[in-house]
Amino acid sequence: MTHAYAEKEQTRTGRKEAALTRQDRIFYTVINVIMVFLILIVVIPILNVIANSFSDGNAVASGKVTLWPVDFSLQGYQTTFENQDIWLGYGNTIIYTIVGTLFNLALTLIAAWPLSRADLPARSPIMFFFAFTMLFNGGMIPTYLNVQELGLINSRWCLIVLGGISIYNMIITRTFFQTTIPRDLVEAAQLDGCSEIRFFFTIVLPLSKAVIAVIALYYAVYHWNAYFEAFLYLTRKELYPLQLILRQILLENTITADTVLEADMAVNYNLVETMKYAVILVACVPIWCVYPFVQKYFVQGVMIGAIKG
């Protein structure tokens, strides 16, 4: 019995192997090599930044650090977190990210659901005007003047309201609704007396967790990394997001090699070098921690929203 089972298993495995031709093996080998190469391109710089952030300033300044810390040290992180402005920037960025993402999600979902319905009057012209904004905009100076007229200069709302909806994300969400929420389900709910608003909140949103998670991640990353808008519209330091605070810290602590004349200056120069890498990780790690929670929805949400659009 055991011998017969082994022969059967060997035959089944042999058929699987025989199904792969020589061209198939070459193709998969090339694809695997390319994928490994792309992974190394992404991972090696990250490892280098991590290693430099945990290394002694002398080793960093002399270029001895590659992928592993040299003379392990936490001085870069200690110096970074001793600056109270870091915590101020974290608080502001968390506010901008949470409130801004919720605002973006609300606008995106409210716009995408009606546009996914074939019975929406003037659906094509409305979609045209949405798509038109992807190609043309007013420009920096007109936008600044508009923000100034609205009284949003030096206001938290300028980082929340501006860019309130991404047309790309809206199109992905609209296509997801079209392919996931069948017309029969809408008609059945209408026959049962379900209103449009109730149907949207009780049926559409629970069935759309995948795409909501994906676009929420997109919006959260955008708000977390927001820099240019804050640079343009904010002058009050207490409103600065984390990215602008980190930029200010680096500028205030910039020391060039030409200015290193004394021993103390050399120490400061080495400290700044390792602090630069610590600052990068301080800004990146929190948003990295969010990704694992939405990773299972990521492929499903993007593929359904993009391929069948």
Side-chain angles (χ1 to χ4, degrees):
M1 177 78 91
T2 305
H3 180 69
Y5 175 79
E7 287 184 350
K8 183 178 180 180
E9 183 68 18
Q10 185 177 3
T11 302
R12 184 176 65 84
T13 306
R15 286 176 181 173
K16 283 186 176 180
E17 292 179 354
L20 291 177
T21 64
R22 183 171 179 271
Q23 290 80 2
D24 291 335
R25 292 194 184 95
I26 294 175
F27 174 78
Y28 287 125
T29 301
V30 172
I31 292 298
N32 289 334
V33 171
I34 293 175
M35 292 301 297
V36 170
F37 178 72
L38 294 176
I39 291 172
L40 291 176
I41 290 177
V42 175
V43 171
I44 289 178
I46 295 176
L47 294 177
N48 180 258
V49 170
I50 295 174
N52 278 280
S53 69
F54 287 105
S55 298
D56 182 72
N58 295 325
V60 175
S62 59
K64 297 179 180 179
V65 183
T66 53
L67 302 179
W68 193 258
V70 176
D71 299 331
F72 184 86
S73 173
L74 295 175
Q75 193 173 8
Y77 290 98
Q78 181 180 353
T79 305
T80 300
F81 285 112
E82 282 178 354
N83 192 318
Q84 295 301 316
D85 292 339
I86 287 287
W87 303 108
L88 174 66
Y90 259 118
N92 289 333
T93 295
I94 290 172
I95 293 174
Y96 297 141
T97 301
I98 294 176
V99 178
T101 301
L102 292 176
F103 181 73
N104 297 142
L105 283 175
L107 293 183
T108 302
L109 294 171
I110 291 173
W113 172 241
L115 289 171
S116 69
R117 301 279 295 274
D119 55 351
L120 176 69
R123 176 189 177 194
S124 296
I126 293 173
M127 194 61 220
F128 169 78
F129 285 113
F130 271 111
F132 184 82
T133 63
M134 299 178 69
L135 303 176
F136 304 97
N137 59 69
M140 183 190 303
I141 295 177
T143 302
Y144 182 88
L145 295 175
N146 190 28
V147 171
Q148 188 177 43
E149 288 297 321
L150 293 173
L152 295 179
I153 300 295
N154 279 326
S155 170
R156 294 188 188 275
W157 290 105
C158 71
L159 299 186
I160 296 173
V161 175
L162 294 181
I165 183 172
S166 166
I167 307 303
Y168 173 78
N169 291 340
M170 190 273 291
I171 292 175
I172 289 178
T173 309
R174 182 208 60 172
T175 308
F176 183 93
F177 288 153
Q178 289 175 333
T179 57
T180 306
I181 311 298
R183 177 64 184 172
D184 295 341
L185 185 61
V186 179
E187 294 175 351
Q190 291 173 343
L191 291 175
D192 290 337
C194 182
S195 65
E196 291 286 348
I197 295 178
R198 183 180 178 185
F199 180 81
F200 177 72
F201 284 101
T202 60
I203 298 178
V204 174
L205 294 186
L207 293 176
S208 306
K209 293 180 181 179
V211 74
I212 291 175
V214 171
I215 63 174
L217 177 63
Y218 286 162
Y219 282 129
V221 171
Y222 165 77
H223 285 289
W224 187 269
N225 293 327
Y227 161 75
F228 190 66
E229 290 82 0
F231 183 76
L232 285 179
Y233 306 125
L234 298 180
T235 57
R236 292 167 52 190
K237 191 173 183 178
E238 60 269 22
L239 300 178
Y240 282 2
L242 178 62
Q243 306 298 336
L244 212 55
I245 292 290
L246 297 181
R247 172 185 177 275
Q248 187 178 39
I249 291 175
L250 290 179
L251 290 178
E252 291 176 351
N253 291 276
T254 298
I255 303 174
T256 63
D258 295 336
T259 62
V260 180
L261 301 176
E262 301 177 359
D264 292 341
M265 291 294 290
V267 172
N268 291 334
Y269 174 74
N270 294 339
L271 177 59
V272 169
E273 287 300 303
T274 188
M275 190 180 71
K276 290 178 181 178
Y277 296 97
V279 164
I280 293 173
L281 285 184
V282 164
C284 294
V285 168
I287 203 67
W288 288 350
C289 296
V290 175
Y291 178 77
F293 296 98
V294 298
Q295 189 270 341
K296 62 180 179 179
Y297 300 110
F298 193 82
V299 175
Q300 179 185 358
V302 172
M303 296 301 288
I304 291 179
I307 289 180
K308 300 179 181 179

